[in-house]
Amino acid sequence: MIKAINHIAIVVPDFESALPFWQDALGLQLSHTEDVPSQAVEVAFFPMGDSEVELLRPTTPDSGVAKYLAKRGAGMHHIALEVDDIYAMLARLKEKGVRLINEQPVPAAGGKLAAFIHPEAANGVLVELYQVG
Ligand code: CO
């Protein structure tokens, strides 16, 4: 079951150039930054209500996120839907023939489990399933 929009992720070349808008102009509080080696990114979290904006910065030149940034520039990268059972949701999507990037969950920030649905299956949007509990 899908419970909420957990976060919206925005890819940026570096935090130095991106933080002033979110922190100073909008006045949001940066909760923390975190290295996510499994996805070759560093992440900065701006909580707001029950969801967050997550800035992603590639940490290697050849990762998926780095290639996305090189091709399309900074911008919205993905939307994360919070699920209570990521394995059940992946099984459901497979059964329905939905194209997945990750057939099995991968480690995400904060030791959470995540799996990405291919944008081709989701109206051009990269959708992340994100299990919090
Ligand atoms: Co995410």
Side-chain angles (χ1 to χ4, degrees), residues 9-96:
I10 295 168
V11 61
V12 298
D14 58 81
F15 288 161
E16 292 68 29
S17 63
L19 287 178
F21 170 70
W22 298 95
Q23 266 185 314
D24 306 332
L26 291 182
L28 291 166
Q29 198 77 41
L30 173 68
S31 76
H32 68 290
T33 61
E34 184 177 334
D35 203 38
V36 186
S38 63
Q39 290 171 30
V41 293
E42 188 185 10
V43 181
F45 295 95
F46 289 98
M48 51 191 87
D50 290 334
S51 59
E52 295 183 298
V53 162
E54 188 180 281
L55 302 183
L56 298 177
R57 174 185 82 76
T59 51
T60 67
D62 55 351
S63 66
V65 171
K67 285 179 193 150
Y68 185 100
L69 181 66
K71 200 168 148 191
R72 306 170 70 158
M76 221 195 92
H77 184 258
H78 66 267
I79 177 169
L81 303 179
E82 190 175 322
V83 294
D84 53 5
D85 184 343
I86 198 169
Y87 293 97
M89 184 55 75
L90 285 171
R92 177 195 168 104
L93 293 173
K94 258 184 252 179
E95 192 185 296
K96 292 184 180 295

